[in-house]
Amino acid sequence: METEVKWLWKTTQTESFYEIYTISYQLTLATREPLLEEHLLQTLNHLFRKLPPLRACYGERDGERWLREMTEIGLDFEVVSGATTQEVHKRLQSYSYNMNKGPLWCVKLLSEPPSSPEIPAGTDMEQFCHVYTLFLGLHHVITDGSSNMKICGFLVQILDAVMGKRAIDTVEQLGVFVSDERIQQLQRERVAAMEADLELRRRVVDEIQSRDGKCSLVKSTFKGVGEKVPRTGMLEKTLDAESTMAFIKRCRSEGVTVNSAFTALASVAIVDLLVDGGLVQETYNIRSDHVLNARRYWGGDTSRYLGCHILPLMPTVAKTPQKIDGKFWDFARSVHQGLQKKVNEGAPLLAEAAKHFMLANPDFDATFEYDFCVSNVGDVTSLVTEGGDRVQALHVIRTSALHAAPCTWTLLVHTFRGRLILALTYNSAFVNSQMAKKFCDGIFRHLQGVL
């Protein structure tokens, strides 16, 4: 008897945009007893049953592409030997998922323990003496940063229960998988607002049109430095707990968010690169794009909503001096004001709505070429959890594939267990590994200098 297909919804605009992106997360776990394959397989079976996005794949319905539930349990789990973490990330960033059968996610376990794992303060490593590196690969169409951190947390909690031989509810669902209908409703509301407010419409349309013909200073300054076959490169840097706390406290005292300050630091580090590349000016218009969680505009409790709920990228331009001369926090406040204004008014929603009022012009390109992109999901400790009696979560890193997109690099930032973590992913077609290292090191050098 053929299993009845559970159709979810027609492919959304958000899902279509993120179809070229794959994601890889790296979890460092410590356990009291040795972690066995059967522990992980039990855990992944529970995850599959309890998390709706992990059961999703695609199918054709009445000539259209729809998201649907898989008709049978399907797990993609593998123990990997003799590979570095970088090699596993590289594999996951180009991973081929069976879109029409599923699953659209996979898990890889390194058979060798990490040589020098990040250990949070207060972790009893004598009790939790078995350390492992686990990789979670996902297709971006079914999930986003917020959902992924929750999935990591559910994995940690279920694995802790499995290893502790505690009962697990096999029916309870750990979230609600929803389409981007709420985003589309917000877009319709913004279109209506622009129909009623001609000045608002003019301002937003003018801003979009002002991008025409302007490009990334990084791309225009550094030509021919990339590789012919693009790949996604990655650097990871973790700020120690003491410096992280000092940075957070300083941001608060200066009246800026950690995100704004980090964006300002990245802008200053980009200027250093440009100067090294021979572009010497008093000030530079540094262009950055920002990933926003659409749930912030939904209202009410959104904590259970899973899926890919990211707004179109939010562009901003920071007039950055070549020499900061002890005035970094003044600059950071100017960056903060610009970012907050855009966030508060829902700038990405306005920009999408404005397209309804722009006359078709085949020669106009509204693409915003940025010098860097920022994706900051904040403090994820409560989402990933620190673990339990049997399993401790020590560290988490997230990356996103860039080599299929015309991007330079993305700063993936979060804080976990008191430490700020950066994964700098870059597209090797536009920047090389030496530039990426200079950029990454420059951010943290300036950070230490402004504490």
Side-chain angles (χ1 to χ4, degrees):
M1 183 175 177
E2 189 173 332
T3 305
E4 184 178 351
V5 174
K6 182 179 178 181
W7 297 101
L8 299 174
W9 53 78
K10 190 166 67 172
T11 303
T12 69
Q13 181 179 338
T14 306
E15 291 160 6
S16 296
F17 180 83
Y18 283 98
E19 194 159 345
I20 62 171
Y21 295 95
T22 54
I23 310 165
S24 61
Y25 276 53
Q26 178 182 329
L27 264 175
T28 307
L29 303 175
T31 61
R32 285 182 182 269
E33 299 87 23
L35 176 63
L36 305 178
E37 282 189 46
E38 64 186 70
H39 293 143
L40 273 172
L41 287 171
Q42 284 184 54
T43 299
L44 300 183
N45 266 288
H46 283 300
L47 275 178
F48 181 90
R49 294 177 185 277
K50 296 168 77 64
L51 283 166
L54 301 187
R55 301 194 294 271
C57 64
Y58 281 94
E60 188 170 305
R61 186 184 191 191
D62 300 327
E64 295 181 311
R65 198 159 180 252
W66 277 62
L67 207 64
R68 65 176 180 88
E69 278 208 355
M70 294 168 60
T71 53
E72 58 186 30
I73 291 181
L75 298 179
D76 184 346
F77 171 69
E78 179 187 10
V79 177
V80 179
S81 300
T84 65
T85 58
Q86 290 276 354
E87 288 167 344
V88 179
H89 279 298
K90 181 180 179 181
R91 180 180 170 193
L92 292 179
Q93 285 157 357
S94 298
Y95 207 70
S96 179
Y97 295 97
N98 189 327
M99 303 298 284
N100 293 322
K101 182 182 178 183
L104 303 186
W105 61 291
C106 65
V107 173
K108 311 297 176 190
L109 174 69
L110 275 187
S111 59
E112 299 85 7
S115 56
S116 54
E118 298 277 358
I119 309 295
T123 307
D124 186 349
M125 295 307 293
E126 289 188 4
Q127 294 290 327
F128 293 90
C129 55
H130 305 279
V131 183
Y132 302 90
T133 307
L134 194 68
F135 295 85
L136 181 64
L138 304 115
H139 202 297
H140 214 331
V141 294
I142 59 168
T143 190
D144 58 18
S146 173
S147 297
N148 291 332
M149 289 299 183
K150 290 176 185 175
I151 292 170
C152 288
F154 292 137
L155 189 156
V156 170
Q157 293 171 69
I158 294 173
L159 180 59
D160 188 73
V162 166
M163 297 190 74
K165 298 182 173 155
R166 300 194 303 276
I168 297 172
D169 186 328
T170 58
V171 177
E172 177 197 21
Q173 297 298 288
L174 297 175
V176 182
F177 191 28
V178 294
S179 74
D180 70 356
E181 172 53 33
R182 293 192 182 205
I183 299 176
Q184 299 309 313
Q185 177 58 34
L186 289 169
Q187 298 284 66
R188 291 190 287 271
E189 291 171 4
R190 295 306 192 281
V191 170
M194 286 187 174
E195 286 175 340
D197 188 340
L198 297 180
E199 176 58 28
L200 173 65
R201 185 198 309 179
R202 183 197 60 77
R203 177 173 64 81
V204 178
V205 169
D206 285 352
E207 182 181 348
I208 294 172
Q209 292 178 332
S210 71
R211 304 173 196 168
D212 192 24
K214 295 180 181 177
C215 61
S216 155
L217 289 177
V218 170
K219 282 187 177 180
S220 61
T221 302
F222 296 95
K223 294 181 178 178
V225 299
E227 301 169 356
K228 289 184 178 179
V229 179
R231 61 180 175 83
T232 298
M234 172 196 158
L235 290 173
E236 186 259 337
K237 200 168 185 73
T238 301
L239 192 63
D240 64 87
E242 184 179 353
S243 297
T244 297
M245 181 54 68
F247 181 52
I248 293 171
K249 286 183 175 178
R250 185 66 189 269
C251 289
R252 287 173 181 164
S253 70
E254 297 289 349
V256 302
T257 62
V258 168
N259 184 70
S260 296
F262 204 85
T263 300
L265 288 167
S267 299
V268 173
I270 285 287
V271 166
D272 292 344
L273 266 183
L274 295 172
V275 171
D276 287 347
L279 183 63
V280 180
Q281 302 172 183
E282 286 189 11
T283 60
Y284 303 76
N285 288 327
I286 302 301
R287 302 154 67 85
S288 59
D289 249 340
H290 298 264
V291 179
L292 292 190
N293 182 347
R295 298 170 185 82
R296 69 165 59 236
Y297 300 105
W298 290 3
D301 181 7
T302 62
S303 60
R304 285 181 57 80
Y305 293 130
L306 303 173
C308 184
H309 301 297
I310 301 172
L311 292 183
L313 296 176
M314 185 180 80
T316 188
V317 179
K319 190 173 183 179
T320 311
Q322 183 200 139
K323 297 179 180 178
I324 210 73
D325 292 332
K327 295 182 179 179
F328 171 78
W329 291 105
D330 290 334
F331 172 61
R333 274 186 287 275
S334 71
V335 171
H336 176 73
Q337 289 164 6
L339 285 173
Q340 287 301 105
K341 181 180 182 296
K342 285 179 172 286
V343 169
N344 291 338
E345 69 179 8
L349 293 167
L350 289 173
E352 281 298 299
K355 292 177 183 178
H356 290 266
F357 304 99
M358 297 175 69
L359 296 175
N361 178 355
D363 296 324
F364 172 68
D365 183 6
T367 303
F368 182 80
E369 267 201 2
Y370 54 77
D371 294 302
F372 63 91
C373 180
V374 179
S375 173
N376 185 352
V377 291
D379 190 336
V380 300
T381 308
S382 64
L383 300 180
V384 177
T385 78
E386 296 183 16
D389 295 334
R390 300 289 171 176
V391 180
Q392 283 281 295
L394 304 183
H395 199 59
V396 60
I397 305 168
R398 63 194 180 104
T399 79
S400 180
L402 289 184
H403 56 272
C407 313
T408 44
W409 32 37
T410 293
L411 305 171
L412 297 117
V413 189
H414 60 267
T415 303
F416 181 62
R417 298 191 70 167
R419 295 170 300 169
L420 188 146
I421 300 166
L422 167 68
L424 171 62
T425 57
Y426 61 93
N427 187 333
S428 69
F430 303 109
V431 295
N432 57 41
S433 57
Q434 292 81 11
M435 291 170 64
K437 187 174 187 310
K438 276 187 180 180
F439 182 33
C440 188
D441 289 347
I443 292 171
F444 284 87
R445 184 181 71 254
H446 285 292
L447 189 156
Q448 292 287 358
V450 300
L451 293 181

